[in-house]
Amino acid sequence: MNILLAMIPAFFWGTTYAVTKFTLPDWPPILLGALRALPAGLLLLLVKPSLPKKGEWRTLFILGTVNIATFFGLIFVMAQTLPSTISGVGMVSVPVFAMLYQWLVNRKRPSWLQTLSGFALVLFAFFLFSPGSISLNPIGLGAMLAAIMCIVVGSGMTKTLGSRIHWWTILTWQLILGGAVLSLASGFHAAVEPQLYVSVIDNFSTQNLMGLLWVVGLNTALSYGMYVWLLQRMSVVDFTFGGIATLSRVLSAAWCCLESRLRKPSTH
C-alpha cells in the first residue's frame, strides 16, 4: 500500500518541468525555488502550528539546506547546463544511487528484486538516449550527481530524524528554513539583476497564479507532506522505486529525450 501512495508525490513532482515551462516561463529560477518552498512551509505551519525544540534548530537547518535549498539550486544549474534528456534520465536513476548509498554507507545490501529492478533501470536509461550523440557539460553533470545525492542523503536524514522529531515538524521547518535560504539568495540576485524581477511583477498573469498554486499546493505542500510521512513507514530505496513507478516520471524522461531529438538539426 505504501509504495502505491509513494506514486502520488512522484506524480506531482513529475509535472514540475511542464508546469514551470508553460505557466512560469522566464522567471528567475532562484525566485521559483523560494516561492515553491517558503509559502508551502508557511501554509503547513498555519494548518498545524509546530515549533522545533531548542536542540533541533541546527539539525533542521542542515536538512532544509541540503534537501530543499541546495537541491533546488542544483536543479537550476542542471537546467542551464545539461540537455533536458540527461536531466530526465538522471532523475529516473535515483533508486540505483539510493541502493548504492545504502550498501556502501549503511551496509544494507539490496534485495535481489531491487538489484534486478535497478539493472532494468540502467538498461532503460541506455535505450532511452544515445550517449554518443549528446555533449555533456562537466559542471552540469556534477550538479546532476550532486542533486541525486541530495535526494538520497536528504531522504536518509529525514527518515532518521523521524525517530526523534515529529514528522510534521520536520516537514514544515525544512521547507521554511530551506525556503528562507533561497529567499536570501533571491534577494541578492534581485539586487544584481533587478530587471528580471521587475518583469515578473509587471507581467504577472492569471496563468502565472495558477502555476504557482499548483507548484506550492500540490507539488510541494501535499507532495512533500506525503514524502516525509511515508519515509517513516518505508525505506528510502523502496520510496524511490515507488516514485519511478509513476507514469508521469517515466514519460517526463521520455519526453525530454524526444524534445532533445526534435531540436537536433537535420543532417539531410
Side-chain angles (χ1 to χ4, degrees):
M1 181 61 179
N2 286 337
I3 201 166
L4 295 177
L5 292 175
M7 296 180 185
I8 297 175
F11 169 81
F12 287 114
W13 290 338
T15 66
T16 304
Y17 174 80
V19 171
T20 302
K21 179 178 179 180
F22 291 109
T23 66
L24 302 164
D26 303 323
W27 280 41
I30 301 178
L31 174 63
L32 283 174
L35 290 176
R36 179 182 178 185
L38 187 56
L42 294 175
L43 175 63
L44 293 170
L45 184 64
L46 182 64
V47 171
K48 183 180 179 181
S50 65
L51 191 66
K53 297 178 182 178
K54 184 178 180 180
E56 298 171 348
W57 283 101
R58 180 175 178 272
T59 303
L60 289 173
F61 178 79
I62 294 173
L63 178 62
T65 301
V66 172
N67 214 22
I68 302 299
T70 303
F71 174 68
F72 286 179
L74 291 168
I75 288 293
F76 303 150
V77 174
M78 288 167 55
Q80 295 172 354
T81 58
L82 281 182
S84 53
T85 309
I86 301 299
S87 299
V89 172
M91 292 300 102
V92 167
S93 67
V94 169
V96 177
F97 285 86
M99 285 191 296
L100 290 174
Y101 180 83
Q102 291 295 324
W103 188 9
L104 297 175
V105 177
N106 298 325
R107 305 299 179 186
K108 294 181 180 179
R109 299 187 65 167
S111 66
W112 281 107
L113 179 59
Q114 291 174 337
T115 301
L116 289 174
S117 299
F119 182 72
L121 282 178
V122 173
L123 286 179
F124 173 77
F126 178 80
F127 287 113
L128 201 56
F129 71 97
S130 173
S133 64
I134 300 174
S135 59
L136 298 180
N137 183 306
I139 296 177
L141 187 59
M144 184 186 73
L145 294 175
I148 292 173
M149 291 312 301
C150 278
I151 297 174
V152 175
V153 174
S155 296
M157 291 174 62
T158 299
K159 183 173 180 62
T160 301
L161 285 176
S163 62
R164 298 189 288 111
I165 306 174
H166 192 275
W167 70 272
W168 188 268
T169 303
I170 297 173
L171 163 67
T172 302
W173 286 95
Q174 72 167 310
L175 287 170
I176 291 176
L177 295 173
V181 172
L182 285 168
S183 296
L184 290 174
S186 181
F188 177 79
H189 185 222
V192 175
E193 298 187 74
Q195 68 278 4
L196 296 176
Y197 293 78
V198 171
S199 177
V200 167
I201 296 173
D202 291 342
N203 299 300
F204 190 81
S205 65
T206 303
Q207 179 175 306
N208 297 148
L209 177 61
M210 297 302 294
L212 286 174
L213 290 176
W214 180 279
V215 169
V216 173
L218 298 175
N219 193 284
T220 307
L222 173 64
S223 298
Y224 269 86
M226 296 190 68
Y227 157 75
V228 175
W229 182 79
L230 284 166
L231 281 178
Q232 311 312 312
R233 292 157 178 81
M234 60 195 304
S235 71
V236 174
V237 174
D238 286 343
F239 179 85
T240 55
F241 270 114
I244 196 59
T246 60
L247 181 62
S248 71
R249 182 74 62 157
V250 176
L251 289 181
S252 176
W255 167 255
C256 287
C257 294
L258 177 60
E259 182 186 41
S260 177
R261 291 174 181 176
L262 289 175
R263 289 180 177 178
K264 186 177 179 180
S266 174
T267 57
H268 296 289

